[in-house]
Amino acid sequence: MTDALLGAVQAGVEVVDLGRQLRVGMPQSPNHPAFWHTLPRRHGDMVRSDGSSAANDMITTGTHVGTHIDALAHVSFDGKMHGGVDAVAAGVGGKYDELGVHTIAPMVRRGVLLDVAGHLGVEHCEGGYEITVADLEATSARQGVEVGEGDVVLIRSGWGSRFAEGAPYVGGPSGVPGVGEAGAQWLADRRVHAAGADTIAFERLAPGGGHALLPAHRVLLVEAGIYIVEALDLEGLAATGWAEFTFVLVPLNIYGATGSPVRPLAIRSAATA
Amino acid sequence: MTDALLGAVQAGVEVVDLGRQLRVGMPQSPNHPAFWHTLPRRHGDMVRSDGSSAANDMITTGTHVGTHIDALAHVSFDGKMHGGVDAVAAGVGGKYDELGVHTIAPMVRRGVLLDVAGHLGVEHCEGGYEITVADLEATSARQGVEVGEGDVVLIRSGWGSRFAEGAPYVGGPSGVPGVGEAGAQWLADRRVHAAGADTIAFERLAPGGGHALLPAHRVLLVEAGIYIVEALDLEGLAATGWAEFTFVLVPLNIYGATGSPVRPLAIRSAATA
Amino acid sequence: MTDALLGAVQAGVEVVDLGRQLRVGMPQSPNHPAFWHTLPRRHGDMVRSDGSSAANDMITTGTHVGTHIDALAHVSFDGKMHGGVDAVAAGVGGKYDELGVHTIAPMVRRGVLLDVAGHLGVEHCEGGYEITVADLEATSARQGVEVGEGDVVLIRSGWGSRFAEGAPYVGGPSGVPGVGEAGAQWLADRRVHAAGADTIAFERLAPGGGHALLPAHRVLLVEAGIYIVEALDLEGLAATGWAEFTFVLVPLNIYGATGSPVRPLAIRSAATA
Amino acid sequence: MTDALLGAVQAGVEVVDLGRQLRVGMPQSPNHPAFWHTLPRRHGDMVRSDGSSAANDMITTGTHVGTHIDALAHVSFDGKMHGGVDAVAAGVGGKYDELGVHTIAPMVRRGVLLDVAGHLGVEHCEGGYEITVADLEATSARQGVEVGEGDVVLIRSGWGSRFAEGAPYVGGPSGVPGVGEAGAQWLADRRVHAAGADTIAFERLAPGGGHALLPAHRVLLVEAGIYIVEALDLEGLAATGWAEFTFVLVPLNIYGATGSPVRPLAIRSAATA
């Protein structure tokens, strides 16, 4: 007898890729080491006696680069991480044994898209726009979807459509749209498992303000223990019209790190004629 | 009406992690840049005006390090990659535009475990042991599972139980067990989508022979266009007794790279009482 | 009997540092991997039984970053490097065995400063200004110094005073001052050993033109076999008023690389009362 | 009138290179990130409209790799670095503002070679051999050279002749020869400026003992404020027979780092017929 999950998979699924392609020069926060990829060995560099050759790669990168997840160890407030863990002491040894990205279990669970830009009828919210609780609730109602405990909630501001522009995506003078403290609290009240957005820092960045204050990070990572996923590509997902789906996210299991590049998926059973 | 896949997920699933934890100093091939992780910023290094601080990471690594997938661009034979692509020309520019790891679609499909060590009744096959077609067929028969087109086949030699030993896992004097050309051809004949093993190079390495000759790589990557997954942790999966399952693997979308670290999952609907 | 050189050293020398400090975030060309430095281990991370602890570093960087020297392998023209070496063939294997930075002998020789900005009476030449042969000759005459065969000639445009500004130093819209093809030919005619400047690319960059055309690199590196030193700090040297001095430059001996970060010195016997 | 130093240089000098070539795979301590070099861009990857192309590099490395210098920030004892600086507090921020390698002035000063292996008449001292004060004094007497205040003293055990062997150079089971606490104290008593050796850790390593205890590091770096230079190539210098010379060492000016790769030089006026 076939496993129910495998049966559903074999009946056909559609997969939407929510991750950005990792390319040298892509927009990212200057606070983090830049992504770089190079080929130390190319075909023809060293040919084996049987005529074969192998090419390989070298990568250097921060972990909060490209589409990525923030582990709870990423942020502290008043010297404490989530659960009251002493933040300075936790870093001694150079690995966050507690709350590092290796403690995030692979996610295979319900995902919900809140397409705020779609609801507002704009290509993208303006830089610095704060997505309000009213926006979240109206979007949810319009889409006929409830945010439930344990869900992963993806908030689309449309700002991700600017990723290819490079520097403007990062914000700087314009700021970046996103939820503020109130929106983060709304998510925390619903006890979601993780929250994501199509922007570089998940939350609203004020014009010219950079990353100086990140209250939603405090609410989610420190107070509520909710993971944050950033720099998602939600354009393709919005185009599907899916409001709920199976969400899969598997962080690299980097011992003691504060985050990981990820390539999350939204999956649904294929439509049948 | 709930999506069938999401329904199966919400009814409960069990997830088995097939990826190795990425740690500085773990065993890997010296042909590839070593994995290294460090914290450029720790909590307390820079505290913002609101009392928050953020820690971050820097990673350098090869892509054929830890549990990883080989893109078709990884290996060439007689100057050609899969499909007759000119291997030297393909590398000009420093990215494998064709056959790079960015061309591997995320995998959500049937996985099959062939627990050869379990079938043979050994903790692990010996170094240099070639897993034969007869071994593969007997294991398959014993487990009552057929390998089908499009499947991902994971071959357990038990050698992965030695990962924590470090250098011995890599082989060197002892060699490493695995399929040879014949086993690879058997997989290719079944038109599998990808093949994986719990060893560093997927295929048999002769004692003292290193990576000098890799015929299974030629058969799979170059001739058949079948991806290879290496350094899997199959110990937990073997313990479940699952012979088939939903296999999920999402490579990092690194433009032009020859491989990617991955953390594959085996998933099944949770057993109900 | 004391060695003459050592006698001169022991009689007292003044050393002027011509290298920029390597800091994360310093201005550099985006064509090269960014300089990054982090501490994998800090004091207190691991204390030995005797109470000692050691801190260490990880660096990632391009080699044409900060003050650096270009090896002859850095540039080719019409498929040839200096001496007619086939440029593509030379790179096979991933190391420039010929003409790599490992082939540059440490330099201990006469250096000459041509302070063009000082001669012109400007804080710095304007972006895009081409330093002409007439400028070089007038500066040389004014300073009473001849450029001779085997010398290292340092050309000060004053643009280096803008290093701390960051992006403007790199040029972009403004361009960067420097010699053009004619000035490079003048240096080549004098058979200098190396030529340096206080700018990111040694030669004039046209406003908005970036690094699209680099004729002085062709003349010096490819045709004449003269090394180029870039991003020098010549402000302190100009303040000394020295027109000639002992120039010391020791590239890192990186096998097969196209350049190296360096920290050159100008040295003179200390003035005596 | 020519500067005295420049006059000595122009009369002719002989330069002996004391640095190891940086190559992927060279022996180094596993405590430090490995040296890696790759070419992100090779000739032909991107040809400009005028027919020119540029190749470039990416480097990742620890700083205590290859021939290198230890800054005073490298080691602490009982929580203090040299001068009583609090070692943990000094690292907050991720840079050693105090005592980092950027605080080491370029060295142009008297160097003295103590060729202990030559004195003892051995190719190299045995692994684990402690070079005693008596050895240092006898070597000094035999060579007719006094160690003076401010000198840089280079101690040759001959172990450097094993560098090309790889792993044996690092020691491990055999241990490594070098001075112990007594020899370090002898150097400190003479108020030398820096001390170097042809071994990976400057001081004696006991067979099988690894880097567990490093008393000479404590004496020199922490107590006396004397820099340590490691993994020197002293074979060529020993062959010259020079006992004293001008020593030049210019660390990379890496802000806040604990060390730097270096390529020191020994220089003398050329012998005249």
Side-chain angles (χ1 to χ4, degrees):
Chain A
M1 194 199 74
T2 298
D3 174 80
L5 181 73
L6 183 54
V9 165
Q10 292 193 299
V13 292
E14 293 178 42
V15 175
V16 178
D17 186 348
L18 308 179
R20 295 284 174 193
Q21 192 164 71
L22 295 166
R23 280 180 177 262
V24 175
M26 68 183 176
Q28 65 162 89
S29 163
N31 292 337
H32 301 287
F35 173 80
W36 201 274
H37 164 257
T38 168
L39 299 172
R41 191 181 292 170
R42 303 186 188 183
H43 292 294
D45 278 355
M46 191 161 70
V47 179
R48 299 194 187 95
S49 59
D50 66 349
S52 69
S53 98
N56 68 11
D57 308 279
M58 180 163 198
I59 302 287
T60 70
T61 189
T63 59
H64 301 268
V65 163
T67 306
H68 63 275
I69 190 166
D70 291 352
L72 300 185
H74 181 42
V75 169
S76 67
F77 188 67
D78 285 351
K80 303 292 185 189
M81 298 194 296
H82 181 64
V85 173
D86 183 288
V88 170
V92 173
K95 305 293 167 203
Y96 288 100
D97 307 293
E98 292 183 89
L99 305 182
V101 77
H102 63 287
T103 64
I104 303 179
M107 297 179 197
V108 181
R109 53 176 65 230
R110 182 173 183 251
V112 170
L113 174 68
L114 296 182
D115 182 358
V116 175
H119 167 65
L120 295 176
V122 295
E123 190 184 352
H124 62 77
C125 300
E126 291 305 310
Y129 177 76
E130 180 172 338
I131 294 174
T132 64
V133 168
D135 289 333
L136 296 175
E137 296 195 331
T139 302
S140 166
R142 179 171 176 272
Q143 298 183 175
V145 68
E146 290 287 319
V147 170
E149 183 173 344
D151 288 351
V152 176
V153 179
L154 308 181
I155 298 172
R156 178 176 175 268
S157 68
W159 194 256
S161 62
R162 307 192 63 182
F163 188 81
E165 293 178 48
Y169 175 75
V170 180
S174 71
V176 176
V179 297
E181 180 165 0
Q185 194 58 57
W186 184 87
L187 291 162
D189 290 345
R190 271 141 199 81
R191 307 181 66 158
V192 301
H193 185 70
D198 55 354
T199 57
I200 200 161
F202 177 72
E203 66 186 282
R204 173 196 181 251
L205 299 181
H211 295 201
L213 293 175
L214 299 173
H217 278 68
R218 171 175 47 77
V219 170
L220 295 176
L221 292 175
V222 182
E223 294 172 8
I226 294 170
Y227 308 116
I228 297 176
V229 188
E230 292 166 328
L232 286 158
D233 180 355
L234 300 178
E235 298 307 290
L237 181 58
T240 63
W242 302 352
E244 66 170 12
F245 42 84
T246 295
F247 178 82
V248 172
L249 180 151
V250 195
L252 291 180
N253 191 349
I254 309 168
Y255 186 76
T258 69
S260 172
V262 293
R263 187 181 181 183
L265 306 177
I267 316 176
R268 284 180 62 121
S269 291
T272 51
Chain B
M1 194 199 75
T2 299
D3 174 82
L5 181 73
L6 183 55
V9 166
Q10 292 193 299
V13 292
E14 293 179 42
V15 175
V16 177
D17 187 350
L18 307 179
R20 295 283 173 192
Q21 192 165 73
L22 295 166
R23 280 179 177 262
V24 176
M26 66 183 177
Q28 65 163 89
S29 162
N31 291 339
H32 301 288
F35 173 79
W36 201 273
H37 164 257
T38 166
L39 300 172
R41 191 182 291 170
R42 303 186 188 183
H43 291 295
D45 278 355
M46 191 160 71
V47 179
R48 298 196 188 95
S49 60
D50 67 347
S52 68
S53 96
N56 68 11
D57 308 280
M58 181 164 196
I59 302 288
T60 71
T61 189
T63 59
H64 302 267
V65 163
T67 307
H68 64 275
I69 190 166
D70 291 351
L72 300 184
H74 180 43
V75 169
S76 67
F77 187 68
D78 284 350
K80 303 292 184 189
M81 299 195 294
H82 181 64
V85 174
D86 182 288
V88 170
V92 173
K95 305 293 167 203
Y96 289 101
D97 306 293
E98 291 183 90
L99 305 182
V101 78
H102 63 287
T103 64
I104 303 179
M107 297 178 197
V108 182
R109 53 177 65 230
R110 182 174 183 251
V112 169
L113 173 69
L114 295 183
D115 183 358
V116 175
H119 167 66
L120 296 175
V122 295
E123 192 184 352
H124 62 77
C125 301
E126 291 306 309
Y129 177 77
E130 179 172 340
I131 295 174
T132 64
V133 167
D135 288 335
L136 296 174
E137 294 194 335
T139 303
S140 167
R142 179 173 177 271
Q143 297 182 175
V145 68
E146 290 287 320
V147 169
E149 181 173 344
D151 287 351
V152 177
V153 179
L154 308 181
I155 299 172
R156 179 177 175 269
S157 68
W159 194 256
S161 62
R162 308 192 63 182
F163 187 82
E165 293 177 48
Y169 175 75
V170 180
S174 71
V176 175
V179 297
E181 181 166 359
Q185 193 58 58
W186 185 86
L187 291 163
D189 290 345
R190 272 142 199 80
R191 307 182 65 158
V192 302
H193 185 70
D198 54 353
T199 58
I200 200 160
F202 177 73
E203 66 185 281
R204 172 193 182 253
L205 300 181
H211 295 202
L213 292 175
L214 300 174
H217 278 67
R218 172 175 48 76
V219 170
L220 295 176
L221 293 175
V222 182
E223 295 172 8
I226 294 170
Y227 307 116
I228 298 177
V229 188
E230 293 166 327
L232 285 157
D233 180 354
L234 300 178
E235 298 306 290
L237 181 58
T240 63
W242 301 352
E244 65 170 11
F245 41 85
T246 296
F247 178 81
V248 172
L249 180 150
V250 194
L252 291 179
N253 191 348
I254 308 168
Y255 186 76
T258 69
S260 172
V262 293
R263 187 181 182 184
L265 306 177
I267 316 176
R268 284 180 60 121
S269 290
T272 51
Chain C
M1 193 199 74
T2 298
D3 174 81
L5 181 73
L6 182 55
V9 165
Q10 292 193 299
V13 292
E14 293 179 42
V15 175
V16 177
D17 186 350
L18 308 179
R20 295 284 173 191
Q21 192 166 72
L22 295 166
R23 280 178 177 262
V24 176
M26 67 183 176
Q28 65 163 89
S29 162
N31 291 339
H32 301 288
F35 173 80
W36 201 273
H37 164 257
T38 167
L39 300 171
R41 192 181 290 170
R42 302 185 188 183
H43 292 293
D45 278 354
M46 191 159 71
V47 179
R48 298 195 187 94
S49 60
D50 67 348
S52 69
S53 97
N56 68 11
D57 308 280
M58 178 164 198
I59 301 287
T60 71
T61 189
T63 58
H64 302 267
V65 162
T67 307
H68 64 275
I69 190 165
D70 291 351
L72 300 184
H74 180 42
V75 169
S76 68
F77 187 67
D78 284 349
K80 302 292 182 189
M81 299 194 295
H82 181 65
V85 174
D86 183 288
V88 170
V92 173
K95 306 293 167 203
Y96 289 101
D97 306 294
E98 291 183 89
L99 305 182
V101 78
H102 63 288
T103 64
I104 304 179
M107 297 178 197
V108 181
R109 53 176 64 232
R110 182 173 183 251
V112 169
L113 174 69
L114 295 182
D115 183 358
V116 175
H119 166 65
L120 296 176
V122 296
E123 191 184 352
H124 61 78
C125 300
E126 291 305 310
Y129 177 77
E130 179 172 340
I131 295 174
T132 64
V133 167
D135 289 334
L136 296 175
E137 295 194 333
T139 303
S140 168
R142 178 172 177 272
Q143 297 183 174
V145 69
E146 290 287 320
V147 170
E149 181 173 344
D151 287 351
V152 177
V153 179
L154 309 182
I155 299 172
R156 178 177 175 267
S157 67
W159 194 257
S161 63
R162 308 192 63 181
F163 187 80
E165 294 178 48
Y169 175 75
V170 180
S174 71
V176 176
V179 298
E181 180 165 0
Q185 193 58 58
W186 184 87
L187 292 162
D189 290 345
R190 273 143 196 80
R191 306 182 65 159
V192 302
H193 185 70
D198 54 353
T199 57
I200 200 160
F202 177 72
E203 65 186 283
R204 173 194 182 253
L205 300 181
H211 296 201
L213 293 175
L214 300 174
H217 278 67
R218 171 175 48 76
V219 170
L220 296 175
L221 293 174
V222 181
E223 295 171 6
I226 294 170
Y227 307 116
I228 298 177
V229 188
E230 293 166 327
L232 286 157
D233 180 355
L234 299 178
E235 298 307 289
L237 181 59
T240 64
W242 301 352
E244 64 170 13
F245 41 84
T246 296
F247 178 82
V248 173
L249 180 150
V250 194
L252 292 179
N253 192 348
I254 308 169
Y255 186 76
T258 69
S260 171
V262 293
R263 187 181 181 184
L265 305 177
I267 316 177
R268 283 180 62 120
S269 291
T272 51
Chain D
M1 193 199 74
T2 298
D3 173 81
L5 181 72
L6 182 55
V9 165
Q10 293 193 297
V13 293
E14 294 179 41
V15 175
V16 177
D17 187 350
L18 308 179
R20 295 284 174 192
Q21 192 165 71
L22 296 165
R23 280 180 178 261
V24 176
M26 67 184 177
Q28 65 162 89
S29 162
N31 291 337
H32 300 288
F35 173 80
W36 201 273
H37 164 256
T38 167
L39 300 172
R41 192 182 292 171
R42 303 185 187 183
H43 291 294
D45 278 355
M46 190 160 70
V47 180
R48 298 195 188 95
S49 59
D50 66 348
S52 69
S53 97
N56 68 11
D57 308 280
M58 181 165 197
I59 302 287
T60 69
T61 189
T63 59
H64 301 268
V65 163
T67 306
H68 65 274
I69 189 165
D70 292 351
L72 300 185
H74 181 43
V75 169
S76 67
F77 188 66
D78 285 350
K80 303 292 184 189
M81 298 194 296
H82 181 64
V85 173
D86 182 288
V88 170
V92 173
K95 305 293 166 204
Y96 288 101
D97 307 293
E98 292 182 89
L99 306 182
V101 78
H102 63 288
T103 64
I104 303 179
M107 297 178 196
V108 181
R109 52 175 66 231
R110 182 175 184 251
V112 170
L113 174 68
L114 296 182
D115 182 359
V116 175
H119 167 65
L120 296 175
V122 295
E123 190 184 354
H124 61 77
C125 301
E126 292 305 309
Y129 177 77
E130 179 172 340
I131 295 174
T132 64
V133 167
D135 289 334
L136 297 175
E137 295 193 333
T139 303
S140 167
R142 178 172 177 274
Q143 299 183 174
V145 68
E146 290 287 319
V147 169
E149 182 173 344
D151 288 351
V152 176
V153 179
L154 308 181
I155 299 172
R156 178 175 175 269
S157 68
W159 194 257
S161 62
R162 308 191 63 182
F163 187 82
E165 294 179 46
Y169 175 76
V170 180
S174 70
V176 176
V179 298
E181 180 166 1
Q185 192 59 57
W186 183 87
L187 291 162
D189 290 346
R190 271 139 199 82
R191 305 181 67 157
V192 302
H193 186 70
D198 55 353
T199 57
I200 200 160
F202 177 74
E203 65 185 282
R204 171 195 183 252
L205 300 181
H211 295 202
L213 292 176
L214 299 173
H217 277 68
R218 172 176 47 76
V219 169
L220 294 175
L221 293 175
V222 181
E223 294 171 9
I226 294 169
Y227 308 116
I228 298 176
V229 188
E230 293 165 328
L232 285 157
D233 180 354
L234 299 178
E235 298 307 289
L237 181 58
T240 63
W242 300 352
E244 66 170 11
F245 41 84
T246 295
F247 178 82
V248 173
L249 180 150
V250 194
L252 291 180
N253 191 348
I254 309 168
Y255 186 76
T258 69
S260 172
V262 294
R263 187 180 181 185
L265 306 176
I267 316 176
R268 284 179 62 122
S269 291
T272 51

